[in-house]
């Protein structure tokens, strides 16, 4: 397997890791282990790359016992299938990202790409189709037509294979919900990096869809996320990194990794006035219901 990763302790080359570009220090371990619902181990940080198993070892040392590795195109989806075979602490998700779907379509390659995604999804440790959805921030015009078509096709694949659907939703809440209702949502739906407000949280509560909160919930300007978390059904709450992006406060702007999940979980416990061990146990239970067992 060609992983662009080396077993190093999350340090920028030539530094002690304390600089503003290096990986932050490891936090205090969680009292009950949880899983990182969404990470990209194939996306190297500009300063340092990490070995898949080394990254999971460091995460395990602070109470993050597993992760979902997520594909965004054919290359990263192929990587994902290889990665879940490499380390049993990983489950996988495969898809064509909504911002990539128009490019595949313009090249006349979208149908073949979707066919390969479905084939890759047959692997027993691929438990989700994602990330897929709609993105009105980076795509516009003709590209949105291809996004919608790709999203509908991914929904169909998830339903036929009985896999969880991982949603990428950026500035498109109402349209994502509309497409899900028109197509008929799969049994298990996860809003990755939940970015909605109380209205979307109520919709997820009523539909039984999971809300996966990332480091963004720790940001000072995230009042909408805090309001959504406050009313989210605890049985539908997950946690993720979206690493190497969206590093939680107080390390925003530095590279993210699964071992930093404890910062987000502790903030979630504070915001919901929930005992930390109880929240961790709930998140772990929710993760298994959403994706199946990691064992």
């Amino acid at each position: 397997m060609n992983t662009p990763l080396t077993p190093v302790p999350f340090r920028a080359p030539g530094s002690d890791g304390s600089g503003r570009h290096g990986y932050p220090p490891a936090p205090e371990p969680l009292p009950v282990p949880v899983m990182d619902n969404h990470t990209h181990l194939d996306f190297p940080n500009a300063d340092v790359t990490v070995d898949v198993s080394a990254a999971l070892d460091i995460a395990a040392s602070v109470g993050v016992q597993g992760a979902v590795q997520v594909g965004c195109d054919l290359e990263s989806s192929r990587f994902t299938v290889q990665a879940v075979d490499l380390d049993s602490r990983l489950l996988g998700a495969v898809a064509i990202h909504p911002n990539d779907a128009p490019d595949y379509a313009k090249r006349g390659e979208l149908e073949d790409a979707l066919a390969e995604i479905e084939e890759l999804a047959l692997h027993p440790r691929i438990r989700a189709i994602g990330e897929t959805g709609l993105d009105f921030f980076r795509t516009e015009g003709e590209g949105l037509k291809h996004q919608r078509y790709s999203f509908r096709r991914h929904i169909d694949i998830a339903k036929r294979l009985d896999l969880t659907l991982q949603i990428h939703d950026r500035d498109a809440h109402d349209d994502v919900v509309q497409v899900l209702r028109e197509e008929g949502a799969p049994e298990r739906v996860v809003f990755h990096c939940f970015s909605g407000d109380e209205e979307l949280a109520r919709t997820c509560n009523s539909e039984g869809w999971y809300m996966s909160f990332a480091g963004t919930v720790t940001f000072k300007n995230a009042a909408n996320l805090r309001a959504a978390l406050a009313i989210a059904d605890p049985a539908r709450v997950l946690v993720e990194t979206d690493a190497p992006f969206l590093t939680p406060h107080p390390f925003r702007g530095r590279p993210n990794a699964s071992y930093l999940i404890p910062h987000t979980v502790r903030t979630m416990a504070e915001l919901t006035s929930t005992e930390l061990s109880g929240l961790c146990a709930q998140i772990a239970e929710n993760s298994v219901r959403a994706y199946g067992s990691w064992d």
Side-chain angles (χ1 to χ4, degrees), residues 58-264:
I58 296 173
S61 73
V62 296
V64 182
Q65 65 181 4
V68 180
Q69 158 64 27
V70 180
C72 294
D73 55 20
L74 287 182
E75 183 179 3
S76 63
S77 293
R78 293 165 187 155
F79 172 97
T80 296
V81 171
Q82 294 175 317
V84 298
D85 278 335
L86 178 71
D87 198 301
S88 62
R89 292 170 293 186
L90 284 181
L91 296 179
V94 295
I96 303 299
H97 192 284
N99 289 321
D100 291 322
D103 294 331
Y104 278 92
K106 290 175 184 176
R107 297 193 300 266
E109 299 173 357
L110 183 56
E111 294 301 335
D112 287 344
L114 291 169
E116 182 171 346
I117 290 298
E118 183 165 354
E119 183 178 351
L120 293 170
L122 295 174
H123 188 291
R125 294 191 70 80
I126 299 299
R127 303 291 178 78
I129 298 297
E131 57 188 284
T132 183
L134 299 174
D135 188 317
F136 293 172
F137 180 79
R138 288 176 53 194
T139 299
E140 58 186 7
E142 184 74 7
L144 295 178
K145 177 183 70 175
H146 300 304
Q147 271 198 4
R148 292 178 187 276
Y149 174 77
S150 179
F151 185 24
R152 292 178 191 274
R153 289 290 306 280
H154 281 86
I155 292 171
D156 176 64
I157 294 170
K159 290 165 67 174
R160 286 190 288 104
L161 299 185
D162 190 26
L163 295 175
T164 302
L165 186 74
Q166 264 203 9
I167 301 287
H168 172 100
D169 163 27
R170 189 166 187 186
D171 295 350
H173 309 321
D174 292 343
D175 292 76
V176 166
V177 171
Q178 179 182 349
V179 172
L180 285 171
R181 287 174 171 165
E182 288 175 354
E183 294 296 314
E187 183 177 345
R188 298 170 303 281
V189 173
V190 175
F191 275 73
H192 135 68
C193 189
F194 184 87
S195 60
D197 54 13
E198 291 174 90
E199 181 180 357
L200 183 58
R202 290 191 181 95
T203 298
C204 290
N205 286 343
S206 64
E207 298 285 353
W209 298 336
Y210 292 93
M211 292 160 273
S212 181
F213 289 88
T216 45
V217 77
T218 73
F219 296 173
K220 294 179 180 179
N221 62 348
N224 64 312
L225 299 182
R226 289 191 284 273
L229 177 61
I231 66 166
D233 179 352
R236 298 294 166 181
V237 170
L238 300 170
V239 68
E240 66 172 82
T241 56
D242 197 20
F245 314 109
L246 306 181
T247 309
H249 178 81
F251 301 106
R252 184 176 181 180
R254 291 169 69 172
N256 200 6
S258 294
Y259 78 98
L260 294 172
I261 280 276
H263 291 294
T264 303

